[in-house]
Amino acid sequence: MKKGRLDVISGPMFSGKSAELIRRLTIQDIAQKKIVVFKHGLDDRFGRPQDISSRNGNYLSAISVTKVAEMNEHLDFDNLDLVGIDEIQFFDRDELVALCKKLVDEKGISVIVCGLDSDYLQVPFETTAHLMALADSVYKTSAVCMQCRDTDAVYTHRVFGGDNRVEVGSDNYEPRCRSCRVNVK
Ligand SMILES: [Zn+2]
């Protein structure tokens, strides 16, 4: 029986999460694995709604969905090796966890997911946190702090915008390190 695994890539904004997801999926694509890639419909940055984009300019064709149920319509379990999912924090926790378990444990299909670990108040995103706990591997990314410029930034700081948990738009945020994040409160 095929054996699947679950890998999670997670960190703050501007830390190259999507670039790492694209890199991993690309090398599997070169190996002619059968791959389906999903992204959340909320994230249409860089104007290519059918792609996962990274800030280094790379992209990968992806199916844009807003609900986990929509993913099922695109999954042919008998003809699939790998599923990639970007921006997992936007998806329902229980639904996405159930789908990942089904793919990995029942179907032997590997899953690589990518998303923010916590919101601008440093509260973990439930979907990401849960998948991290179940994963075979977790790769934490960090950015460069926009205040001191020389320390690993692990937080997404909201510069502009209201109090809603999700405010889409990278202009509203900057990565900050532990020291600089503490100092603004
Ligand atoms: Zn700093």
Side-chain angles (χ1 to χ4, degrees), residues 77-97:
F77 297 120
D78 297 324
N79 192 32
L80 187 60
D81 298 309
L82 177 63
V83 175
I85 309 170
D86 196 13
E87 303 288 1
I88 52 170
Q89 75 277 359
F90 292 144
F91 291 103
D92 179 85
R93 181 192 66 181
D94 292 345
E95 290 176 11
L96 192 59
V97 166

PDB file of all heavy atoms in Angstrom, residues 77-97:
ATOM      1  N   PHE A  77      -8.689  10.065  -6.169  1.00  0.00           N
ATOM      2  CA  PHE A  77      -7.821   9.366  -5.204  1.00  0.00           C
ATOM      3  C   PHE A  77      -7.001   8.233  -5.836  1.00  0.00           C
ATOM      4  O   PHE A  77      -5.936   7.882  -5.346  1.00  0.00           O
ATOM      5  CB  PHE A  77      -8.653   8.810  -4.050  1.00  0.00           C
ATOM      6  CG  PHE A  77      -9.336   9.873  -3.241  1.00  0.00           C
ATOM      7  CD1 PHE A  77     -10.719   9.889  -3.124  1.00  0.00           C
ATOM      8  CD2 PHE A  77      -8.603  10.865  -2.596  1.00  0.00           C
ATOM      9  CE1 PHE A  77     -11.358  10.878  -2.381  1.00  0.00           C
ATOM     10  CE2 PHE A  77      -9.231  11.855  -1.856  1.00  0.00           C
ATOM     11  CZ  PHE A  77     -10.608  11.861  -1.748  1.00  0.00           C
ATOM     12  N   ASP A  78      -7.513   7.663  -6.901  1.00  0.00           N
ATOM     13  CA  ASP A  78      -6.810   6.538  -7.525  1.00  0.00           C
ATOM     14  C   ASP A  78      -5.726   6.986  -8.497  1.00  0.00           C
ATOM     15  O   ASP A  78      -5.012   6.173  -9.065  1.00  0.00           O
ATOM     16  CB  ASP A  78      -7.819   5.648  -8.272  1.00  0.00           C
ATOM     17  CG  ASP A  78      -8.817   5.049  -7.304  1.00  0.00           C
ATOM     18  OD1 ASP A  78      -8.419   4.731  -6.166  1.00  0.00           O
ATOM     19  OD2 ASP A  78     -10.003   4.924  -7.677  1.00  0.00           O
ATOM     20  N   ASN A  79      -5.634   8.280  -8.710  1.00  0.00           N
ATOM     21  CA  ASN A  79      -4.702   8.781  -9.708  1.00  0.00           C
ATOM     22  C   ASN A  79      -4.018  10.048  -9.186  1.00  0.00           C
ATOM     23  O   ASN A  79      -4.035  11.093  -9.823  1.00  0.00           O
ATOM     24  CB  ASN A  79      -5.476   9.076 -11.005  1.00  0.00           C
ATOM     25  CG  ASN A  79      -4.551   9.326 -12.167  1.00  0.00           C
ATOM     26  OD1 ASN A  79      -3.457   8.762 -12.229  1.00  0.00           O
ATOM     27  ND2 ASN A  79      -4.969  10.177 -13.091  1.00  0.00           N
ATOM     28  N   LEU A  80      -3.451   9.908  -7.992  1.00  0.00           N
ATOM     29  CA  LEU A  80      -2.932  11.093  -7.322  1.00  0.00           C
ATOM     30  C   LEU A  80      -1.800  10.704  -6.370  1.00  0.00           C
ATOM     31  O   LEU A  80      -1.912   9.718  -5.632  1.00  0.00           O
ATOM     32  CB  LEU A  80      -4.090  11.733  -6.529  1.00  0.00           C
ATOM     33  CG  LEU A  80      -3.872  13.073  -5.851  1.00  0.00           C
ATOM     34  CD1 LEU A  80      -3.493  14.156  -6.859  1.00  0.00           C
ATOM     35  CD2 LEU A  80      -5.144  13.480  -5.107  1.00  0.00           C
ATOM     36  N   ASP A  81      -0.703  11.462  -6.396  1.00  0.00           N
ATOM     37  CA  ASP A  81       0.431  11.191  -5.506  1.00  0.00           C
ATOM     38  C   ASP A  81       0.590  12.239  -4.408  1.00  0.00           C
ATOM     39  O   ASP A  81       1.074  11.948  -3.320  1.00  0.00           O
ATOM     40  CB  ASP A  81       1.742  11.167  -6.316  1.00  0.00           C
ATOM     41  CG  ASP A  81       1.754  10.075  -7.353  1.00  0.00           C
ATOM     42  OD1 ASP A  81       1.472   8.921  -6.989  1.00  0.00           O
ATOM     43  OD2 ASP A  81       2.034  10.375  -8.535  1.00  0.00           O
ATOM     44  N   LEU A  82       0.237  13.471  -4.745  1.00  0.00           N
ATOM     45  CA  LEU A  82       0.594  14.572  -3.850  1.00  0.00           C
ATOM     46  C   LEU A  82      -0.418  15.707  -3.972  1.00  0.00           C
ATOM     47  O   LEU A  82      -0.841  16.066  -5.070  1.00  0.00           O
ATOM     48  CB  LEU A  82       1.997  15.081  -4.239  1.00  0.00           C
ATOM     49  CG  LEU A  82       2.578  16.271  -3.500  1.00  0.00           C
ATOM     50  CD1 LEU A  82       2.770  15.961  -2.014  1.00  0.00           C
ATOM     51  CD2 LEU A  82       3.905  16.672  -4.134  1.00  0.00           C
ATOM     52  N   VAL A  83      -0.770  16.273  -2.810  1.00  0.00           N
ATOM     53  CA  VAL A  83      -1.657  17.436  -2.789  1.00  0.00           C
ATOM     54  C   VAL A  83      -0.932  18.578  -2.091  1.00  0.00           C
ATOM     55  O   VAL A  83      -0.368  18.394  -1.006  1.00  0.00           O
ATOM     56  CB  VAL A  83      -2.974  17.119  -2.043  1.00  0.00           C
ATOM     57  CG1 VAL A  83      -3.842  18.371  -1.924  1.00  0.00           C
ATOM     58  CG2 VAL A  83      -3.744  16.011  -2.762  1.00  0.00           C
ATOM     59  N   GLY A  84      -0.932  19.745  -2.698  1.00  0.00           N
ATOM     60  CA  GLY A  84      -0.356  20.951  -2.089  1.00  0.00           C
ATOM     61  C   GLY A  84      -1.468  21.929  -1.768  1.00  0.00           C
ATOM     62  O   GLY A  84      -2.389  22.102  -2.562  1.00  0.00           O
ATOM     63  N   ILE A  85      -1.393  22.543  -0.590  1.00  0.00           N
ATOM     64  CA  ILE A  85      -2.426  23.509  -0.202  1.00  0.00           C
ATOM     65  C   ILE A  85      -1.747  24.742   0.394  1.00  0.00           C
ATOM     66  O   ILE A  85      -0.984  24.637   1.357  1.00  0.00           O
ATOM     67  CB  ILE A  85      -3.412  22.922   0.834  1.00  0.00           C
ATOM     68  CG1 ILE A  85      -3.956  21.574   0.361  1.00  0.00           C
ATOM     69  CG2 ILE A  85      -4.558  23.912   1.087  1.00  0.00           C
ATOM     70  CD1 ILE A  85      -4.741  20.819   1.430  1.00  0.00           C
ATOM     71  N   ASP A  86      -2.055  25.899  -0.177  1.00  0.00           N
ATOM     72  CA  ASP A  86      -1.468  27.153   0.293  1.00  0.00           C
ATOM     73  C   ASP A  86      -2.482  27.905   1.150  1.00  0.00           C
ATOM     74  O   ASP A  86      -3.687  27.735   0.992  1.00  0.00           O
ATOM     75  CB  ASP A  86      -1.067  28.003  -0.920  1.00  0.00           C
ATOM     76  CG  ASP A  86      -0.102  29.129  -0.550  1.00  0.00           C
ATOM     77  OD1 ASP A  86       0.451  29.105   0.565  1.00  0.00           O
ATOM     78  OD2 ASP A  86       0.104  30.025  -1.394  1.00  0.00           O
ATOM     79  N   GLU A  87      -1.996  28.742   2.052  1.00  0.00           N
ATOM     80  CA  GLU A  87      -2.838  29.591   2.900  1.00  0.00           C
ATOM     81  C   GLU A  87      -3.865  28.781   3.701  1.00  0.00           C
ATOM     82  O   GLU A  87      -5.052  29.108   3.766  1.00  0.00           O
ATOM     83  CB  GLU A  87      -3.548  30.664   2.052  1.00  0.00           C
ATOM     84  CG  GLU A  87      -2.609  31.556   1.255  1.00  0.00           C
ATOM     85  CD  GLU A  87      -1.820  32.547   2.117  1.00  0.00           C
ATOM     86  OE1 GLU A  87      -1.972  32.546   3.355  1.00  0.00           O
ATOM     87  OE2 GLU A  87      -1.027  33.316   1.533  1.00  0.00           O
ATOM     88  N   ILE A  88      -3.378  27.744   4.361  1.00  0.00           N
ATOM     89  CA  ILE A  88      -4.285  26.841   5.082  1.00  0.00           C
ATOM     90  C   ILE A  88      -5.016  27.523   6.232  1.00  0.00           C
ATOM     91  O   ILE A  88      -6.068  27.059   6.661  1.00  0.00           O
ATOM     92  CB  ILE A  88      -3.534  25.607   5.641  1.00  0.00           C
ATOM     93  CG1 ILE A  88      -2.319  26.032   6.465  1.00  0.00           C
ATOM     94  CG2 ILE A  88      -3.176  24.660   4.523  1.00  0.00           C
ATOM     95  CD1 ILE A  88      -1.684  24.896   7.245  1.00  0.00           C
ATOM     96  N   GLN A  89      -4.466  28.640   6.727  1.00  0.00           N
ATOM     97  CA  GLN A  89      -5.118  29.290   7.880  1.00  0.00           C
ATOM     98  C   GLN A  89      -6.519  29.775   7.552  1.00  0.00           C
ATOM     99  O   GLN A  89      -7.321  30.019   8.448  1.00  0.00           O
ATOM    100  CB  GLN A  89      -4.257  30.444   8.409  1.00  0.00           C
ATOM    101  CG  GLN A  89      -4.253  31.716   7.579  1.00  0.00           C
ATOM    102  CD  GLN A  89      -3.271  31.674   6.421  1.00  0.00           C
ATOM    103  OE1 GLN A  89      -2.559  30.696   6.232  1.00  0.00           O
ATOM    104  NE2 GLN A  89      -3.216  32.751   5.643  1.00  0.00           N
ATOM    105  N   PHE A  90      -6.821  29.942   6.264  1.00  0.00           N
ATOM    106  CA  PHE A  90      -8.139  30.426   5.871  1.00  0.00           C
ATOM    107  C   PHE A  90      -9.186  29.321   5.806  1.00  0.00           C
ATOM    108  O   PHE A  90     -10.378  29.595   5.672  1.00  0.00           O
ATOM    109  CB  PHE A  90      -8.068  31.105   4.494  1.00  0.00           C
ATOM    110  CG  PHE A  90      -7.300  32.403   4.488  1.00  0.00           C
ATOM    111  CD1 PHE A  90      -6.523  32.748   3.387  1.00  0.00           C
ATOM    112  CD2 PHE A  90      -7.362  33.286   5.557  1.00  0.00           C
ATOM    113  CE1 PHE A  90      -5.822  33.941   3.362  1.00  0.00           C
ATOM    114  CE2 PHE A  90      -6.662  34.483   5.543  1.00  0.00           C
ATOM    115  CZ  PHE A  90      -5.889  34.823   4.439  1.00  0.00           C
ATOM    116  N   PHE A  91      -8.776  28.069   5.855  1.00  0.00           N
ATOM    117  CA  PHE A  91      -9.728  26.964   5.720  1.00  0.00           C
ATOM    118  C   PHE A  91     -10.212  26.476   7.085  1.00  0.00           C
ATOM    119  O   PHE A  91      -9.490  26.567   8.088  1.00  0.00           O
ATOM    120  CB  PHE A  91      -9.092  25.800   4.956  1.00  0.00           C
ATOM    121  CG  PHE A  91      -8.849  26.099   3.495  1.00  0.00           C
ATOM    122  CD1 PHE A  91      -7.578  26.410   3.036  1.00  0.00           C
ATOM    123  CD2 PHE A  91      -9.904  26.082   2.581  1.00  0.00           C
ATOM    124  CE1 PHE A  91      -7.348  26.698   1.693  1.00  0.00           C
ATOM    125  CE2 PHE A  91      -9.688  26.367   1.239  1.00  0.00           C
ATOM    126  CZ  PHE A  91      -8.402  26.668   0.791  1.00  0.00           C
ATOM    127  N   ASP A  92     -11.424  25.908   7.078  1.00  0.00           N
ATOM    128  CA  ASP A  92     -12.008  25.376   8.299  1.00  0.00           C
ATOM    129  C   ASP A  92     -11.125  24.258   8.875  1.00  0.00           C
ATOM    130  O   ASP A  92     -10.728  23.339   8.155  1.00  0.00           O
ATOM    131  CB  ASP A  92     -13.400  24.814   7.985  1.00  0.00           C
ATOM    132  CG  ASP A  92     -14.059  24.228   9.216  1.00  0.00           C
ATOM    133  OD1 ASP A  92     -14.671  25.011   9.966  1.00  0.00           O
ATOM    134  OD2 ASP A  92     -13.940  22.998   9.443  1.00  0.00           O
ATOM    135  N   ARG A  93     -10.846  24.364  10.159  1.00  0.00           N
ATOM    136  CA  ARG A  93      -9.918  23.425  10.782  1.00  0.00           C
ATOM    137  C   ARG A  93     -10.380  21.971  10.668  1.00  0.00           C
ATOM    138  O   ARG A  93      -9.647  21.110  10.171  1.00  0.00           O
ATOM    139  CB  ARG A  93      -9.732  23.768  12.268  1.00  0.00           C
ATOM    140  CG  ARG A  93      -8.747  22.836  12.959  1.00  0.00           C
ATOM    141  CD  ARG A  93      -8.790  22.992  14.460  1.00  0.00           C
ATOM    142  NE  ARG A  93     -10.089  22.546  14.980  1.00  0.00           N
ATOM    143  CZ  ARG A  93     -10.431  22.577  16.270  1.00  0.00           C
ATOM    144  NH1 ARG A  93      -9.588  23.058  17.158  1.00  0.00           N
ATOM    145  NH2 ARG A  93     -11.616  22.163  16.669  1.00  0.00           N
ATOM    146  N   ASP A  94     -11.591  21.699  11.156  1.00  0.00           N
ATOM    147  CA  ASP A  94     -12.045  20.309  11.203  1.00  0.00           C
ATOM    148  C   ASP A  94     -12.151  19.695   9.807  1.00  0.00           C
ATOM    149  O   ASP A  94     -11.802  18.532   9.600  1.00  0.00           O
ATOM    150  CB  ASP A  94     -13.395  20.218  11.919  1.00  0.00           C
ATOM    151  CG  ASP A  94     -13.253  20.546  13.401  1.00  0.00           C
ATOM    152  OD1 ASP A  94     -12.112  20.560  13.897  1.00  0.00           O
ATOM    153  OD2 ASP A  94     -14.284  20.798  14.052  1.00  0.00           O
ATOM    154  N   GLU A  95     -12.609  20.505   8.870  1.00  0.00           N
ATOM    155  CA  GLU A  95     -12.771  19.992   7.500  1.00  0.00           C
ATOM    156  C   GLU A  95     -11.423  19.696   6.860  1.00  0.00           C
ATOM    157  O   GLU A  95     -11.242  18.668   6.201  1.00  0.00           O
ATOM    158  CB  GLU A  95     -13.544  21.001   6.648  1.00  0.00           C
ATOM    159  CG  GLU A  95     -15.008  21.126   7.036  1.00  0.00           C
ATOM    160  CD  GLU A  95     -15.748  22.196   6.250  1.00  0.00           C
ATOM    161  OE1 GLU A  95     -15.209  22.713   5.254  1.00  0.00           O
ATOM    162  OE2 GLU A  95     -16.885  22.504   6.647  1.00  0.00           O
ATOM    163  N   LEU A  96     -10.462  20.597   7.055  1.00  0.00           N
ATOM    164  CA  LEU A  96      -9.163  20.377   6.411  1.00  0.00           C
ATOM    165  C   LEU A  96      -8.386  19.250   7.097  1.00  0.00           C
ATOM    166  O   LEU A  96      -7.722  18.449   6.436  1.00  0.00           O
ATOM    167  CB  LEU A  96      -8.330  21.667   6.387  1.00  0.00           C
ATOM    168  CG  LEU A  96      -7.098  21.590   5.477  1.00  0.00           C
ATOM    169  CD1 LEU A  96      -7.501  21.278   4.027  1.00  0.00           C
ATOM    170  CD2 LEU A  96      -6.282  22.868   5.516  1.00  0.00           C
ATOM    171  N   VAL A  97      -8.496  19.169   8.421  1.00  0.00           N
ATOM    172  CA  VAL A  97      -7.834  18.077   9.143  1.00  0.00           C
ATOM    173  C   VAL A  97      -8.400  16.733   8.680  1.00  0.00           C
ATOM    174  O   VAL A  97      -7.649  15.782   8.426  1.00  0.00           O
ATOM    175  CB  VAL A  97      -8.001  18.249  10.668  1.00  0.00           C
ATOM    176  CG1 VAL A  97      -7.641  16.966  11.414  1.00  0.00           C
ATOM    177  CG2 VAL A  97      -7.132  19.412  11.171  1.00  0.00           C
TER     178      VAL A  97
END
